[in-house]
């Protein structure tokens, strides 16, 4: 297996910087896998662009870097089967950026973006897959049907997009509460404990429960209840003396 020891120190330094940047700021529709022990093979998952036969599919590919990178371009291969004029049946990618148009100043980000753009605009004139190239030129609908079929059968499925944490938590809370209501269980609310109901004497000396009044009026009412109770007790004592 190739390791970083097979690459010159200046190449390792350059790749480390590029891979760090790709990890922190991924290109649109591309997720790069980084192996710190082996920079000579770069893996990436490319989302099929919207409006193309590759939409709703994710395609895994790799770039192979030689000891002479960046003087020589990397070689690109699709690991996921795909029906495309510029991608051979063995996955090899044919794009000018990796051949005659290569420039040592070009970085991995540029290469990956060019490969994704190839899914949007194929070049049937330089086809590695002759069937796909011919079909694209003569009958686009049939080409698109084949490409979509390959996408459905072979492509990976996109991961669901994550929502923001607050929205996600709020949604979960709403779902949980609705489930509790439908099952007859209500969620506990985090609030101050309720004041127990007061007891006042009934007309025949029996206590009656009443709900506590609002805090502002409660003190006045409670004082009045105590006063009435004292008057009632005094009246009872007077009756006993008689």
């Amino acid at each position: 297996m190739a390791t970083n020891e097979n690459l010159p120190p200046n190449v390792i330094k350059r790749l480390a910087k590029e891979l760090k940047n790709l990890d922190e700021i991924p290109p649109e529709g591309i997720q790069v896998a980084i192996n710190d022990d082996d920079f000579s093979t770069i893996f990436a998952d490319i989302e099929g662009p919207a409006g193309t036969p590759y939409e709703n599919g994710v395609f895994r590919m790799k770039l192979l870097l030689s000891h002479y990178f960046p003087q020589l371009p990397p070689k690109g291969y699709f690991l996921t089967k795909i029906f495309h004029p510029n991608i051979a049946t063995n996955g090899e990618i044919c794009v000018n950026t990796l051949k005659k148009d290569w420039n040592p100043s070009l970085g991995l980000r540029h290469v990956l973006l060019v490969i994704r753009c190839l899914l949007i605009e194929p070049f049937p004139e330089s086809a590695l897959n002759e069937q796909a190239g011919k079909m694209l030129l003569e009958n686009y609908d049939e080409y698109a049907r084949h490409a979509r079929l390959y996408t459905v059968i072979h492509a990976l499925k996109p991961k669901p997009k994550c929502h923001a944490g607050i929205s996600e938590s709020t949604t979960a809370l709403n779902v949980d509460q609705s489930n509790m209501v439908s099952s007859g269980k209500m969620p506990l609310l985090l609030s101050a404990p309720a004041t127990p109901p007061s007891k006042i004497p009934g007309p025949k000396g029996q206590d009656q429960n009443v709900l506590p009044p609002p805090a502002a009026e409660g003190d006045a009412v409670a004082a009045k209840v105590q006063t009435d109770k004292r008057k009632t007790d005094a009246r009872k004592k007077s009756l006993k003396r008689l």
Side-chain angles (χ1 to χ4, degrees):
M1 178 185 295
T3 65
N4 289 338
E5 296 178 358
N6 300 115
L7 300 174
N10 62 317
V11 174
I12 294 176
K13 184 177 180 180
R14 170 176 171 165
L15 289 174
K17 184 178 180 180
E18 285 198 52
L19 292 173
K20 183 175 184 294
N21 180 265
L22 287 170
D23 184 47
E24 294 175 348
I25 311 174
E28 181 182 359
I30 302 173
Q31 187 65 47
V32 179
I34 297 174
N35 183 349
D36 291 335
D37 296 325
D38 186 2
F39 289 164
S40 64
T41 304
I42 310 298
F43 293 93
D45 285 347
I46 299 181
E47 295 179 8
T52 71
Y54 312 104
E55 185 176 3
N56 296 325
V58 175
F59 301 86
R60 185 155 294 169
M61 54 87 59
K62 67 179 178 180
L63 293 175
L64 300 179
L65 283 65
S66 73
H67 179 85
Y68 301 102
F69 179 85
Q71 300 307 315
L72 291 181
K75 291 183 178 180
Y77 294 88
F78 269 80
L79 302 177
T80 303
K81 286 186 177 181
I82 183 172
F83 190 76
H84 190 286
N86 305 112
I87 302 170
T89 54
N90 67 348
E92 183 181 356
I93 302 170
C94 178
V95 62
N96 287 337
T97 300
L98 298 181
K99 299 201 181 279
K100 64 179 183 179
D101 292 342
W102 174 252
N103 188 313
S105 64
L106 298 177
L108 296 178
R109 180 183 296 272
H110 179 80
V111 171
L112 292 170
L113 288 173
V114 166
I115 292 174
R116 187 168 189 263
C117 286
L118 198 64
L119 300 183
I120 301 174
E121 187 177 356
F123 294 96
E125 296 81 6
S126 57
L128 288 181
N129 185 326
E130 294 183 3
Q131 180 189 9
K134 183 178 180 181
M135 199 176 289
L136 176 59
L137 291 173
E138 297 178 357
N139 189 339
Y140 179 82
D141 290 341
E142 187 66 12
Y143 157 76
R145 189 181 72 81
H146 269 72
R148 277 194 294 268
L149 183 61
Y150 268 65
T151 299
V152 171
I153 295 175
H154 301 292
L156 305 172
K157 304 304 178 186
K159 295 180 181 179
K161 305 293 183 183
C162 296
H163 300 288
I166 293 177
S167 302
E168 198 171 44
S169 300
T170 304
T171 303
L173 178 61
N174 292 338
V175 171
D176 289 343
Q177 287 184 348
S178 63
N179 289 341
M180 290 179 183
V181 172
S182 63
S183 61
K185 299 178 182 179
M186 290 299 295
L188 297 177
L189 300 179
L190 298 178
S191 59
T195 306
S198 303
K199 290 185 178 181
I200 60 174
K204 295 184 180 180
Q206 296 178 347
D207 292 341
Q208 293 180 335
N209 290 336
V210 296
L211 293 175
E217 301 175 0
D219 295 339
V221 174
K224 185 176 184 304
V225 170
Q226 292 297 329
T227 302
D228 292 344
K229 188 174 185 303
R230 283 196 294 270
K231 288 181 180 179
T232 302
D233 292 341
R235 212 178 285 120
K236 286 181 179 180
K237 291 179 181 178
S238 299
L239 291 173
K240 284 181 180 180
R241 292 193 191 99
L242 295 176

